[in-house]
Amino acid sequence: MVDSPNATSSQSAELEEPCLVVAAGTRCTIHPLVSLKVATLGRSGSNDIVVNHEKSSRQHCEFFFEDDAWHVRDLDSRNGTRLNGDKFTGTKTLQHGDMLEVARTRIVFTSKLTAEFESIDLLARDTSAMARAESETEMGLSALDEESSDE
């Protein structure tokens, strides 16, 4: 795993193997994928990739290599997994650049990481802005709830 919480455009990553770029808040991590190993993602600390959010299931999804391609399988998660914006069930084949969403975490699949960290940093800022907007919406709803209970 390569960690890049405050990456700049002067840093670059060169990984020949497929990997997942995981952005949660302002923190980005890179998880290389190994073709003979299933990589798990979820809220439980026993996963290869931990998504510490209440909307993530303990065992949310898994990534595996089969028939010369990488796949993602949703493990009947409670709130679902999105691939390129579309919620799915079962298994999907991954293509270079595909974006998954689990709770407030974005995961980009890349067959070979050669991009500058700047693009990873932009993904993190976009995810952070999304989290702030959701938080503001939740705070606004809480205020409405408080107003209605005062009446």
Side-chain angles (χ1 to χ4, degrees), residues 12-113:
S12 64
E14 296 279 339
L15 293 175
E16 295 293 324
E17 67 266 11
C19 59
L20 299 171
V21 179
V22 180
T26 59
R27 186 180 185 112
C28 280
T29 53
I30 299 170
H31 298 268
L33 296 170
V34 179
S35 60
L36 298 176
K37 183 179 182 304
V38 173
T40 59
L41 180 145
R43 197 175 68 241
S44 170
S46 65
N47 288 292
D48 299 301
I49 303 167
V50 177
V51 175
N52 192 12
H53 191 276
E54 63 190 14
K55 291 191 176 184
S56 173
S57 296
R58 285 182 184 91
Q59 304 295 323
H60 201 97
C61 63
E62 63 185 9
F63 301 87
F64 61 97
F65 190 77
E66 184 176 88
D67 298 328
D68 292 323
W70 280 96
H71 306 274
V72 59
R73 178 182 298 127
D74 182 82
L75 299 174
D76 297 323
S77 62
R78 184 173 178 181
N79 292 300
T81 304
R82 293 187 177 276
L83 176 61
N84 299 322
D86 297 322
K87 193 172 181 179
F88 74 94
T89 58
T91 301
K92 294 286 186 182
T93 301
L94 293 170
Q95 303 295 321
H96 176 77
D98 278 349
M99 182 182 292
L100 294 114
E101 294 174 62
V102 172
R104 291 183 178 166
T105 301
R106 291 190 178 176
I107 303 112
V108 175
F109 171 78
T110 178
S111 55
K112 180 180 177 184
L113 184 66

Side-chain angles (χ1 to χ4, degrees), residues 2-15:
V2 178
D3 197 358
S4 174
N6 297 309
T8 65
S9 59
S10 63
Q11 297 171 309
S12 64
E14 296 279 339
L15 293 175

